[in-house]
Amino acid sequence: MARGRRGRLGRLILALETSCDDTCAAVVDGARILSNVVSSQASFHERFGGVVPEVASRHHLEVVNAVVAAALEEAGTELGDAESIAVTQGPGLIGALLVGLSSAKALAAAHRKPLIPVDHLEGHVAANFLEPDPLEPPFLCLIASGGHTLLAGVREHSSFQTLGSTVDDAAGEAFDKGARLLGLGYPGGPAIQSAAEDGDPEAFEFPVAMSERGLDFSFSGLKTSLVYRVRDLGSEETGRRRADLAASFQRAIVDQLVRKLERAATSGDWPAIALGGGVAANAELRERTRALCEELGLRLKLVPISLCTDNAAMIASAARFTEPISYPDYLGFDAFATGSVRAA
Ligand code: KG4
Ligand code: ZN
C-alpha cells in the first residue's frame, strides 16, 4: 500500500530502465524526482569481470516487479496516478531491454495508459534537465559509459546532434578491460579510480589517440598498450606497480576525453558543458572538466553520480520531451540493440 497519494501535481511519469545490468524504476513529476530506485547486479557479474547478458536478463526478470513497486512506494504514489509509462527501448543488451519493455507495455496496457519509448543515450543527456538546477539547451554533453562514448551537441530538449563518437571501445569499456588486466574488480571504473589514488599518473606513458581535427574517440590502442606493458612487467612487478599503472591508464583515458571536449567547445558556440554516463562519475574527469570550463569561461553542469550511472529518472526526464504513444499502438513495439529510437 502506498504511503499516501501525492496526487497529480504535474505530469507524473513512471519510468523503467533495464538496458544493461541495473534494474531501474523511477517516478518523476516534471523535473522533480520523487523516487529513483536502482537494483545493481554488479556482484553477480563481478566474478566474470564483465556483464554476462544472459545473467543480466534473468536478474531483471527476477527483480523488475519489486523495483517498480519500490519506486511507486517511495514516491508515495500508485500506478494509476502515472500519466504515462516510459521505458528504454534501446540501445543496449537485447534480452535485458526486452524485460523492461515487456514490463512497461504490460503496466501501461493494464491501465490503458500511453507508453513513451526512450533512447538510452537521450536519457543520459536528459539527466541534465532534472532538478536541482536543471540545465537548458544549448550545451555540449560528453556521454561516456560502458557501451558508448560520444559528444552530443544539444540544441533542444528532445534530440541531440552526434558531433563525435568512439570508433572502437567505449571509455567505460576501457576502464573495465584495464581493471581486468590489472587484476582489479568489476566495474573497472571505480576500481581503477580508487587504485589510482595512491599512484603516479606520470609513471607510465600510454598513447592518447588524437587525430588531426576529429572529434571521434578511440581506446583500443590504449588497451593493447596496457596488455603489452603488463606482459613486459610480469605479474610480480605489475602487482607492485598497480597503483602507478592505474593512475597512468586513467590519465590517458581522461586526457583523450577532455582534449576532445575542449576541441568541440572551442570550435562551437556552446555556453555550457555537461557530462553524462557512468564514466562521468570519475573524479579526475570531473575535476579536469571543471578546470576546462573555468579556462574557457563556460558553465559546468555536473549531475550527481546517481544520475550519471544508469537510472530510470533520466529516462523519465527524456520522456517529458517525447511524444507518448497511445494504447494499443505500442503493443507491437520491439527493443533494439543498436541504433536509435528515431531510426526505429
Ligand atoms: O552509464 P553506465 O552506468 O552504464 C552503461 O550504459 O554502460 O556506465 C557504466 C560504466 C562502466 O564501464 C564503469 O566502469 C564506468 O561506467 N564507471 C566509471 C566510474 N564509475 C562507473 N568509470 C570511471 N570512473 C568511475 N568512477
Ligand atoms: Zn548508460
Side-chain angles (χ1 to χ4, degrees):
M1 182 63 197
R3 264 182 285 138
R5 280 165 170 241
R6 200 177 285 267
R8 285 172 52 150
L9 300 174
R11 190 184 158 193
L12 270 197
I13 299 179
L14 167 69
L16 280 75
E17 147 65 44
T18 63
S19 67
C20 191
D21 63 337
D22 291 320
T23 317
C24 319
V27 179
V28 167
D29 180 5
R32 205 153 58 92
I33 301 173
L34 303 185
S35 66
N36 193 17
V37 177
V38 177
S39 170
S40 169
Q41 304 176 5
S43 57
F44 295 100
H45 299 284
E46 197 172 1
R47 78 191 96 146
F48 305 107
V51 177
V52 183
E54 178 60 21
V55 173
S57 312
R58 281 172 191 271
H59 278 281
H60 285 312
L61 257 183
E62 278 164 21
V63 303
V64 68
N65 289 339
V67 169
V68 169
L72 290 168
E73 162 87 20
E74 207 178 288
T77 190
E78 291 173 0
L79 183 58
D81 296 329
E83 189 176 279
S84 53
I85 316 288
V87 63
T88 308
Q89 191 182 8
L93 302 172
I94 196 72
L97 287 162
L98 280 171
V99 177
L101 183 60
S102 311
S103 306
K105 279 201 252 182
L107 290 168
H111 288 255
R112 304 291 190 265
K113 288 183 188 294
L115 187 85
I116 310 182
V118 171
D119 183 299
H120 183 76
L121 296 171
E122 288 183 6
H124 276 301
V125 170
N128 294 290
F129 306 145
L130 290 163
E131 286 181 4
D133 200 19
L135 184 63
E136 289 293 313
F139 60 92
L140 188 62
C141 187
L142 169 70
I143 304 293
S145 71
H148 305 274
T149 305
L150 66 99
L151 273 166
V154 187
R155 294 207 181 271
E156 52 191 37
H157 289 99
S158 57
S159 66
F160 63 78
Q161 185 193 357
T162 301
L163 306 175
S165 59
T166 186
V167 296
D168 41 55
D169 293 349
E173 204 176 343
F175 271 109
D176 294 336
K177 288 177 176 170
R180 196 155 35 172
L181 284 165
L182 293 176
L184 297 163
Y186 173 83
I192 288 198
Q193 176 174 317
S194 112
E197 277 166 20
D198 303 318
D200 173 6
E202 283 166 18
F204 294 95
E205 206 173 312
F206 286 112
V208 176
M210 290 299 293
S211 53
E212 273 299 292
R213 273 189 304 278
L215 293 175
D216 284 339
F217 301 87
S218 168
F219 295 99
S220 72
L222 171 62
K223 180 195 65 194
T224 308
S225 167
L226 182 63
V227 169
Y228 288 135
R229 188 66 73 151
V230 164
R231 190 196 61 188
D232 295 346
L233 288 172
S235 61
E236 205 171 302
E237 189 64 3
T238 295
R240 216 177 55 75
R241 307 286 311 272
R242 192 170 278 136
D244 286 344
L245 284 162
S248 305
F249 188 73
Q250 173 174 266
R251 172 64 56 89
I253 297 176
V254 171
D255 260 350
Q256 189 184 160
L257 294 173
V258 173
R259 284 163 70 179
K260 283 179 185 155
L261 244 184
E262 179 176 16
R263 207 174 248 185
T266 51
S267 55
D269 57 349
W270 307 102
I273 289 181
L275 300 180
V279 180
N282 185 267
E284 182 166 339
L285 176 61
R286 290 166 89 88
E287 201 34 58
R288 293 272 305 277
T289 309
R290 184 185 305 283
L292 175 69
C293 285
E294 255 169 44
E295 188 190 320
L296 300 178
L298 304 181
R299 178 179 170 196
L300 170 68
K301 168 74 179 170
L302 291 178
V303 294
I305 287 169
S306 58
L307 293 178
C308 291
T309 47
D310 285 349
N311 67 89
M314 70 182 197
I315 301 304
S317 181
R320 286 178 64 209
F321 305 99
T322 310
E323 199 59 45
I325 314 285
S326 303
Y327 173 85
D329 299 353
Y330 49 77
L331 290 178
F333 277 27
D334 234 338
F336 58 89
T338 56
S340 81
V341 164
R342 274 157 225 298

